[in-house]
Amino acid sequence: LVLTAFVAALRLMRLARPRYIPASEGDIQSVRGIVRSSPNTYAHLAMLRDKSFLISTDGTGFLMYAVAGRSWVCMGDPVGPPAARSELAWRFREMVDLYAGWTVFYQAGRENLPLYLDLDLALMKIGEQARVPLPDFSLAGQSRKGLRYTRNMVEKEGAVFEIAPASAVPELLPELRRVSDAWLASKHAREKKFSLGFFSEEYLREYPVALVRKGGRIVAFANLWESSGREELSIDLMRYSPEAPTSVMEYLNIMLMLWGREQGYQWFDLGMAPF
């Protein structure tokens, strides 16, 4: 009886384990509209459908998170206007406290650091965001000699750059998968998730895709993230096949920056550069 009572008491006092709550189709529809109105391209990670969502009470913001052990990790800052971001950050902290977990905001932006300090969180700098201002970007001048050389070298091998709109992506998916599978095999790697995109046909259908062709065949691609107001342009899933020219991904980035400047974008986001 004593042993039974002791085990029962331990089970009653044990902390509840967090339960993964997959995003519903209604949540996806609500979040899609917020993503498209966001000036930050990282918000598009919500479309991977591999994270749980917390949506603000007024429906103008959301945060995306996953649980690993005791760590509850929010991917990036809450998305939305300042009031929604503040509400979401506090609600997230309170929810994590209910499970005696650790609150984490991964890749937090500078503008929200005072909010996280108010939440009594500590700051740890692990890298910096690399961004290129596009209005003045060009390949002219001595300092851009290396970029010009890369572009010319890749195009001499027969490479052609193009942008395929989202409407054209479904018919390209078999070729994109071929390139992606070849890239994974050559790297002896498997798909990553959460902070990076992975090959998902449902996900890729959401976006235009930058392509590099050689002899008419796709040898490299990257899906495009576009922010509202043409504030920022970025890419997520980047893949190339063994027959692609050397430096093909550098070439693709160069051509995207030139294209982004022509389209009126202000910044090209290269993502976080870890120390």
Side-chain angles (χ1 to χ4, degrees):
L1 287 174
V2 171
L3 180 60
T4 302
F6 179 72
V7 172
L10 285 180
R11 291 178 64 86
L12 286 171
M13 291 186 293
R14 186 175 60 185
L15 292 172
R17 292 183 179 180
R19 182 170 58 89
Y20 172 68
I21 305 174
S24 67
E25 192 57 37
D27 287 342
I28 292 294
Q29 294 300 327
S30 299
V31 164
R32 181 181 282 111
I34 301 171
V35 167
R36 289 176 176 172
S37 63
S38 172
N40 304 114
T41 52
Y42 75 87
H44 290 284
L45 284 168
M47 295 296 99
L48 285 169
R49 300 169 183 250
D50 65 339
K51 292 173 273 291
S52 298
F53 295 137
L54 192 62
I55 300 176
S56 65
T57 52
D58 63 1
T60 62
F62 75 95
L63 61 75
M64 45 190 159
Y65 70 93
V67 182
R70 289 188 62 188
S71 298
W72 293 58
V73 186
C74 176
M75 180 60 235
D77 297 305
V79 180
R85 293 200 301 268
S86 179
E87 176 211 325
L88 288 165
W90 281 101
R91 282 175 56 194
F92 185 61
R93 175 62 192 265
E94 291 166 358
M95 181 174 66
V96 176
D97 285 348
L98 288 175
Y99 291 92
W102 297 330
T103 304
V104 180
F105 289 86
Y106 177 63
Q107 294 189 19
R110 181 181 301 173
E111 64 176 341
N112 292 300
L113 295 185
L115 172 59
Y116 303 138
L117 292 175
D118 287 343
L119 292 172
D120 199 26
L121 301 180
L123 306 179
M124 179 181 295
K125 190 171 183 178
I126 59 175
E128 292 183 338
Q129 187 181 19
R131 299 175 86 206
V132 178
L134 292 181
D136 299 323
F137 178 79
S138 75
L139 301 186
Q142 182 64 24
S143 63
R144 303 293 167 85
K145 180 180 179 181
L147 300 184
R148 292 197 302 274
Y149 174 79
T150 297
R151 182 188 64 177
N152 295 337
M153 177 187 68
V154 173
E155 291 185 347
K156 280 181 181 178
E157 293 190 41
V160 177
F161 170 82
E162 67 176 88
I163 301 290
S167 59
V169 169
E171 65 183 37
L172 296 174
L173 286 172
E175 276 197 271
L176 300 184
R177 182 173 288 280
R178 172 185 59 80
V179 173
S180 178
D181 290 346
W183 184 87
L184 289 169
S186 68
K187 299 295 182 182
H188 305 288
R190 58 182 179 180
E191 296 282 16
K192 298 177 175 62
K193 296 185 178 182
F194 190 67
S195 62
L196 295 171
F198 53 89
F199 193 95
S200 162
E201 294 189 357
E202 188 174 35
Y203 170 63
L204 288 174
R205 286 190 183 100
E206 299 269 353
Y207 303 104
V209 175
L211 304 173
V212 178
R213 294 182 184 270
K214 182 179 178 182
R217 283 168 56 89
I218 296 174
V219 295
F221 74 90
N223 65 310
L224 298 187
W225 285 349
E226 300 173 279
S227 72
S228 69
R230 298 186 183 268
E231 175 67 17
E232 192 173 78
L233 178 69
S234 187
I235 57 179
D236 179 35
L237 191 69
M238 300 179 289
R239 301 286 158 89
Y240 59 90
S241 60
E243 63 266 27
T246 304
S247 302
V248 67
M249 295 314 294
E250 184 179 354
Y251 167 77
L252 188 146
N253 277 288
I254 291 169
M255 299 306 292
L256 271 173
M257 291 181 204
L258 294 172
W259 179 83
R261 183 196 65 189
E262 293 173 358
Q263 300 299 313
Y265 286 94
Q266 299 301 303
W267 295 93
F268 187 80
D269 183 6
L270 290 163
M272 187 186 72
F275 293 142

